[in-house]
Every structure is written in C-alpha cells, then in structure tokens.
Amino acid sequence: MNRRQLTLKALTEWERKPFEYGVADCCRFCGHVAQIITGTDHIAAFDYANEDEAKAIIDEHGGLGELVTSVLGEPSDELLDGDPILIRLPGMSDPALAVKLGKEAIALGKSRFIRVGERYWSKGWAL
C-alpha cells in the first residue's frame, strides 16, 4: 500500500471512536496513523488518562510542537499523506495535531473528522 492508502486505512479504522483524552484524542489519533504507516508506536512512552495528565506532559516539553519534535525530530516542509501537522484554528486556545491528506489536514473533532486548510497549519513532521 502507498502512503495515501495507508492513511485512508488508518482514518477508516479510527472513524467510530468518540473523543476522549488518553483514548481518542489528537495525539492518540496521530499516533495511530503513524503506527499504521511506520509500524512504530511513537506515543507508547506517553501514558496519560485524562486532559490534565495530557496537558502536564505537553507543558513538561514546552508545548505540543516541542513534544512532537522530541519524538519525531525537527519539523519538515516535505510532508506526505499521514504526516502529523500542528494546527491552530480560530477559537482554539491550544494547538492540536492533525494528519496530512492531500492539500488538507484531517483533525479529530469531538464527534467527527474536521478538514483543515493549509492556512491553519503551523508546522509538520515527516514520518
């Protein structure tokens, strides 16, 4: 399977999971996609069960982008389908993670996937 097919497979597998910190949140979502693509569980070392624990791990690293960089290395401009992208949407107090799919990013919303245009992308990491 190519990257697009693997990304779509990962999205299909995730589709019915309701949002819940520590189970089905933006980090777990991107970790799931990354594991389908690379075969590696990049977030296994980060064990959290709720929003407060997730925020503590993020704060410990200096922010969500810095946390991802600590795991995947420096951000890249050469992104492929399935690569994690840091997004900032209007009205969001904190950034979130999404995955690249074509010219959009797919983010995990509270009840469904959200398509995010490039203007809301902050940076991304190549897997």
Side-chain angles (χ1 to χ4, degrees):
M1 279 191 201
N2 65 33
R3 283 291 289 265
R4 184 171 185 83
Q5 291 169 324
L6 288 169
T7 302
L8 291 171
K9 175 183 187 284
L11 294 175
T12 300
E13 288 178 359
W14 194 269
E15 226 170 311
R16 294 202 168 106
K17 293 182 180 181
F19 187 94
E20 181 183 350
Y21 279 98
V23 177
D25 56 44
C26 71
C27 293
R28 298 282 185 206
F29 168 63
C30 288
H32 169 75
V33 174
Q35 187 168 9
I36 295 293
I37 291 170
T38 67
T40 300
D41 185 352
H42 294 282
I43 62 170
F46 303 103
D47 187 28
Y48 58 95
N50 56 51
E51 184 176 7
D52 290 338
E53 291 175 7
K55 285 187 177 196
I57 292 168
I58 291 167
D59 290 345
E60 197 175 287
H61 286 83
L64 184 55
E66 291 77 3
L67 173 60
V68 177
T69 296
S70 76
V71 175
L72 297 179
E74 292 300 316
S76 174
D77 292 329
E78 303 293 324
L79 301 175
L80 302 173
D81 287 339
D83 287 338
I85 297 172
L86 190 71
I87 61 169
R88 280 200 172 274
L89 296 174
M92 282 178 59
S93 58
D94 297 314
L97 287 176
V99 295
K100 184 180 185 314
L101 185 63
K103 293 186 181 212
E104 296 179 310
I106 305 299
L108 185 63
K110 293 283 183 187
S111 61
R112 61 181 173 81
F113 289 133
I114 301 167
R115 294 177 182 268
V116 180
E118 288 183 41
R119 68 182 174 172
Y120 299 110
W121 300 6
S122 176
K123 55 186 159 186
W125 295 264
L127 294 174

